[in-house]
Amino acid sequence: MILSQIFFGWSTFGHDEAINFFLKSAQKNQLPHANLIVGPSRVGKTTLAFDLACLINLYPDEEKSQDQIIDIQKDDKAQRIIRGLNSDIRLFNIDTPYILNGKKIVSKINISIEHIKNIKRETSIKPFESKSKVFIIQDCHNMTNEAANSFLKILEEPFENNYFILTTDLIDQIPETIVSRCQLINLVRVNSNSISEMVEKKFNVNHEKSKTIARFSKGCPGWAISAVNDEILLDSYNQLFSRIMDVISSSIEQRLNYSRKLSIQFRNNRNEVYAELDGWVDWFRDLALLKNQLGEYILFRENIFEYKKYLDQLRIEEIVSSINKIIYTRENLEKNVSPNLALDVLILELPYVNDHNINTE
């Protein structure tokens, strides 16, 4: 029987190569015990991790493979795993609480040594309701050095029936000693047309809106699905566009106020600041495309008239330089440089547009 007919119903979308790799590995009884899933934010890493947890625990034994068929979407055991109800499937991230000196602590900043100690304790306990225990470490680049060193020892001396699935979009920040002990799975951005078709068919969204959602998803199915269920996500792009327009023509004092708000926000939720900076890159990228008469490829198509008002004041060299500065700042923030300093320098170095001299024709 074809592999996909034995075990199907994956929630993962657009990553058939990864799915086929794991199916073939399961058929040979050679599923890797340590996996590192790499890809952009919301491309489907965590979704694949939970699907893989289902495969690890529910793939039919060899002698039963012709008789037993598993549909993840309909199987009760699979749904307990997907919904986070299975006690043997554990998710760890910066929001996972741990106990220290009798107190429950939530870091919100990193994955600490206490998280890894918790994992180590649990690896020695036999599974309760599944064949194997699966530990999913989300955004594993957030591990402290101490935590990473401790986790490496777990990988070097694993207990039987323990599987580890790590996810990250910043593989360069993970120690090579950990990377080398994991099966590397790279998830790339999914074709926009494929996402549009998925949104339209699966969620009964009209064609025009599905195209818009796919465009703003930038190849990440997770974002697209969230946008279907939460219209605020699409609206947030319009708000971001307005903020950028305000900042680009604001005074030094106003720019510094904006930068300081981002710095405070970074300490609470750095991913939101990364998304803000990515929005700036998109804004300048759109300007560069319009400069080259490629308006059909811009992201903020609904605001094309607003863009055209700025084209005369910004040279292509300034636009490209701004994109590079934003990317450089994001990379520095990922390396834990001072957010106050990095963001202040960036915002002050971005070009200034005098909105009183804008050509509105």
Side-chain angles (χ1 to χ4, degrees):
M1 186 177 290
I2 300 174
L3 291 174
S4 58
Q5 293 178 343
I6 298 174
F7 195 95
F8 59 96
W10 296 64
S11 298
T12 301
F13 174 80
H15 304 298
D16 292 346
E17 185 176 346
I19 291 174
N20 290 333
F21 168 78
F22 286 125
L23 281 173
K24 290 177 181 178
S25 298
Q27 187 183 42
K28 298 175 183 177
N29 196 27
Q30 294 178 354
L31 278 170
H33 280 259
N35 300 272
L36 175 58
I37 305 175
V38 182
S41 176
R42 309 191 83 166
V43 78
K45 300 185 296 294
T46 303
T47 300
L48 177 59
F50 276 97
D51 279 344
L52 177 55
C54 292
L55 181 66
I56 289 168
N57 280 296
L58 301 176
Y59 190 82
D61 295 332
E62 186 175 351
E63 62 271 14
K64 299 178 181 178
S65 61
Q66 298 299 319
D67 304 319
Q68 189 174 354
I69 296 176
I70 301 294
D71 180 350
I72 295 177
Q73 301 304 319
K74 296 180 180 179
D75 186 89
D76 291 339
K77 292 181 180 179
Q79 283 303 300
R80 280 187 58 79
I81 292 174
I82 296 296
R83 295 171 184 171
L85 302 176
N86 186 306
S87 60
D88 297 319
I89 314 301
R90 299 282 280 115
L91 174 67
F92 290 84
N93 54 35
I94 60 174
D95 295 318
T96 303
Y98 60 87
I99 304 299
L100 182 63
N101 298 326
K103 295 181 179 180
K104 182 180 287 189
I105 307 294
V106 179
S107 169
K108 291 285 185 182
I109 298 174
N110 52 44
I111 297 171
S112 72
I113 183 65
E114 299 301 326
H115 287 109
I116 305 305
K117 287 179 179 178
N118 194 352
I119 291 175
K120 187 174 182 178
R121 282 193 295 270
E122 292 192 28
T123 58
S124 62
I125 302 173
K126 291 183 178 181
F128 176 71
E129 57 179 308
S130 304
K131 291 191 298 184
S132 301
K133 284 199 165 188
V134 181
F135 300 90
I136 300 171
I137 304 180
Q138 191 178 44
D139 295 333
C140 62
H141 53 268
N142 287 320
M143 279 194 283
T144 63
N145 290 335
E146 188 180 18
N149 290 332
S150 179
F151 182 69
L152 177 61
K153 294 178 181 178
I154 296 176
L155 290 181
E156 290 174 338
E157 301 174 359
F159 282 89
E160 188 179 3
N161 293 330
N162 283 332
Y163 289 81
F164 302 94
I165 308 172
L166 289 69
T167 74
T168 184
D169 54 355
L170 299 172
I171 190 172
D172 292 342
Q173 295 188 24
I174 302 173
E176 178 58 32
T177 48
I178 289 179
V179 175
S180 64
R181 285 168 173 77
C182 295
Q183 174 65 52
L184 188 61
I185 304 294
N186 282 301
L187 301 187
V188 298
R189 296 182 187 273
V190 179
N191 178 275
S192 179
N193 289 334
S194 297
I195 292 179
S196 176
E197 291 175 8
M198 180 269 290
V199 168
E200 190 170 348
K201 293 177 181 178
K202 186 173 182 178
F203 299 98
N204 197 28
V205 174
N206 68 62
H207 182 71
E208 183 177 348
K209 185 175 181 180
S210 69
K211 285 288 187 183
T212 300
I213 289 174
R215 188 172 78 247
F216 278 99
S217 75
K218 292 184 281 188
C220 296
W223 191 96
I225 293 171
S226 296
V228 171
N229 299 318
D230 185 0
E231 293 191 2
I232 293 177
L233 277 178
L234 275 179
D235 186 57
S236 67
Y237 268 104
N238 293 325
Q239 295 177 23
L240 173 58
F241 185 90
S242 297
R243 282 197 300 276
I244 293 173
M245 300 280 279
D246 289 339
V247 172
I248 207 72
S249 59
S250 65
S251 66
I252 291 177
E253 181 180 1
Q254 290 170 322
R255 287 188 176 213
L256 287 175
N257 285 335
Y258 171 71
S259 172
R260 284 158 192 165
K261 287 179 181 178
L262 287 182
S263 297
I264 294 171
Q265 188 178 13
F266 186 80
R267 293 182 176 87
N268 296 323
N269 190 331
R270 59 180 59 194
N271 286 332
E272 290 182 358
V273 176
Y274 291 151
E276 186 93 1
L277 294 178
D278 290 344
W280 275 92
V281 171
D282 292 332
W283 192 84
F284 279 109
R285 172 185 172 275
D286 280 359
L287 281 178
L289 290 170
L290 288 170
K291 280 278 190 183
N292 289 281
Q293 287 79 48
L294 295 170
E296 66 270 25
Y297 296 107
I298 71 172
L299 181 65
F300 295 98
R301 293 179 190 174
E302 293 78 9
N303 304 95
I304 191 167
F305 176 74
E306 298 295 325
Y307 273 130
K308 289 181 177 179
K309 296 190 296 185
Y310 290 85
L311 290 177
D312 291 340
Q313 292 196 55
L314 292 173
R315 295 177 292 108
I316 189 67
E317 293 81 8
E318 290 179 293
I319 294 171
V320 173
S321 175
S322 297
I323 292 174
N324 290 332
K325 288 175 181 177
I326 297 166
I327 293 173
Y328 178 73
T329 300
R330 193 190 197 285
E331 290 174 348
N332 280 335
L333 289 173
E334 290 168 353
K335 296 174 183 176
N336 294 319
V337 302
S338 166
N340 295 51
L341 179 60
L343 291 168
D344 278 354
V345 170
L346 170 65
I347 298 304
L348 291 176
E349 286 187 345
L350 291 177
Y352 172 79
V353 174
N354 186 345
D355 57 4
H356 296 295
N357 295 331
I358 290 175
N359 179 12
T360 58
E361 294 182 1

